[in-house]
Amino acid sequence: MRSHTVTRMLAAAVATGLLLGVTPAYAFSDITDKGQAAIIQSLQDKGLIQGVTADKFAPNAKLTNAQAVQLIVDAIGLDAAKKKTDAPGWFVSVPQTAWYVPALKTALERGVTIDGTWNANANPTRQQFAKLLYLGLLQKGNYAKVSKYTPIADAKQIASKNRVAVEYLLLTKIATLDGKKNFRPTNAITRMEAAQMIYAAERMVNKSYASSGTATVTYKVENVDPEFNKVTLTRTNLPGNGYGLKIRRVDFVSDSEAVVIYEAIDPKPGSANIVYPATAVVYVPVVYDVTVKAQ
């Protein structure tokens, strides 16, 4: 999934203090919040982030455009497109040997639009990062569309071209508002803020839940009409005939959360030739954020 070698990544990280790369597992002394520490640990274990030193993550430091593109491409798992989009005119001025070029080319080829003259070392705002992340997610699947709008106190500061992206990330809980209902769209996004969004986005793209034994179930949410999302569950590691999947129920645990409960079906003795569906579908109103859980 990664487009360059670990050696190059580590070399670039030493030279520029990048957020991105593969590092050994360790705790950062400048992150004291348990929730943030858990997020950083998860992303670090997957080789998506690293600190600026062995002991410091610099959570409040600003992200760069180069780091943003690399992080999104790696976390979402974008790869080269079969039908490539032409590169914008400004791409010819980008040093072709730069560490971030493979990820930048992949993003552009997959249709992730980057407006204007791109500066690798400039700092994207929160709304600009939201737009890039939103476009990246669209390349991976037909996720739920924006069907309702969130009251945002500083909505007037969000550029019209970025509004749908911000609303989408809020709807899917990839992004959140602060205590005063502000998104702070014109603020430069920090390393911790980017990590939090990427953590949620990566989970949405790569969701899988294990039931008893070795059964693994993945799911995706697709918007099918203004009222309902289609939730498709797939059992991905069928060991043979007679193994399948059933949806038992949907629990509406709050006004905005729904949990789809499933059961992995294994063959009974002497019935291995019975075929059970490996996928199951349920429809959930669009107002609910969907998660999936084994019975």
Side-chain angles (χ1 to χ4, degrees), residues 73-94:
V73 168
D74 283 353
I76 296 175
L78 292 182
D79 49 17
K82 293 181 179 179
K83 183 178 181 181
K84 299 179 180 180
T85 302
D86 293 337
W90 56 259
F91 184 73
V92 297
S93 63
V94 175

Side-chain angles (χ1 to χ4, degrees), residues 3-287:
S3 56
H4 52 297
T5 66
V6 171
T7 301
R8 289 178 58 197
M9 290 175 63
L10 292 176
V14 171
T16 62
L18 300 174
L19 172 67
L20 311 164
V22 178
T23 64
Y26 50 76
F28 297 107
S29 62
D30 54 356
I31 299 179
T32 57
D33 180 86
K34 290 184 179 179
Q36 292 182 351
I39 288 173
I40 295 303
Q41 186 67 60
S42 174
L43 295 178
Q44 185 183 359
D45 289 345
K46 294 173 182 176
L48 296 175
I49 62 169
Q50 69 176 32
V52 296
T53 69
D55 184 53
K56 304 290 183 182
F57 181 72
N60 296 321
K62 298 175 182 178
L63 197 72
T64 68
N65 280 326
Q67 293 168 352
V69 170
Q70 184 73 64
L71 184 57
I72 290 170
V73 168
D74 283 353
I76 296 175
L78 292 182
D79 49 17
K82 293 181 179 179
K83 183 178 181 181
K84 299 179 180 180
T85 302
D86 293 337
W90 56 259
F91 184 73
V92 297
S93 63
V94 175
Q96 296 301 296
T97 58
W99 62 269
Y100 54 80
V101 166
L104 180 60
K105 291 175 69 174
T106 295
L108 294 172
E109 289 174 355
R110 290 293 294 264
V112 177
T113 304
I114 301 176
D115 298 327
T117 302
W118 192 75
N119 182 340
N121 296 316
N123 307 115
T125 63
R126 285 170 54 82
Q127 64 177 318
Q128 289 171 337
F129 184 81
K131 180 65 173 292
L132 289 177
L133 182 53
Y134 168 72
L135 292 175
L137 286 168
L138 291 184
Q139 309 310 312
K140 291 296 292 185
N142 182 21
Y143 297 104
K145 298 178 182 178
V146 174
S147 57
K148 62 177 181 176
Y149 286 88
T150 305
I152 305 172
D154 53 0
K156 291 184 178 180
Q157 297 179 31
I158 303 174
S160 58
K161 65 181 179 180
N162 299 328
R163 184 62 188 268
V164 170
V166 172
E167 291 285 358
Y168 177 84
L169 297 192
L170 292 173
L171 174 67
T172 55
K173 294 181 172 57
I174 291 173
T176 58
L177 302 176
D178 64 18
K180 296 182 179 180
K181 303 297 182 182
N182 290 311
F183 184 74
R184 296 176 288 109
T186 60
N187 289 11
I189 192 166
T190 67
R191 289 160 56 87
M192 189 68 238
E193 290 171 338
Q196 289 171 316
M197 290 190 195
I198 285 296
Y199 173 78
E202 194 272 341
R203 287 191 69 202
M204 188 175 82
V205 170
N206 299 309
K207 282 176 177 174
S208 63
Y209 295 82
S211 65
S212 59
T214 59
T216 299
V217 174
T218 62
Y219 73 93
K220 68 176 180 178
V221 180
E222 301 172 283
N223 183 246
V224 293
D225 64 37
E227 299 296 328
F228 288 93
N229 288 328
K230 177 183 178 182
V231 184
T232 304
L233 284 68
T234 303
R235 186 170 177 178
T236 61
N237 61 336
L238 298 176
N241 292 332
Y243 293 82
L245 180 71
K246 285 186 178 181
I247 293 176
R248 290 304 185 186
R249 65 183 187 277
V250 178
D251 292 340
F252 297 96
V253 297
S254 73
D255 291 339
S256 61
E257 297 176 273
V259 181
V260 177
I261 307 297
Y262 72 87
E263 179 184 3
I265 306 299
D266 292 347
K268 296 179 181 179
S271 60
N273 293 326
I274 298 177
V275 178
Y276 294 97
T279 61
V281 173
V282 66
Y283 294 85
V284 178
V286 295
V287 296

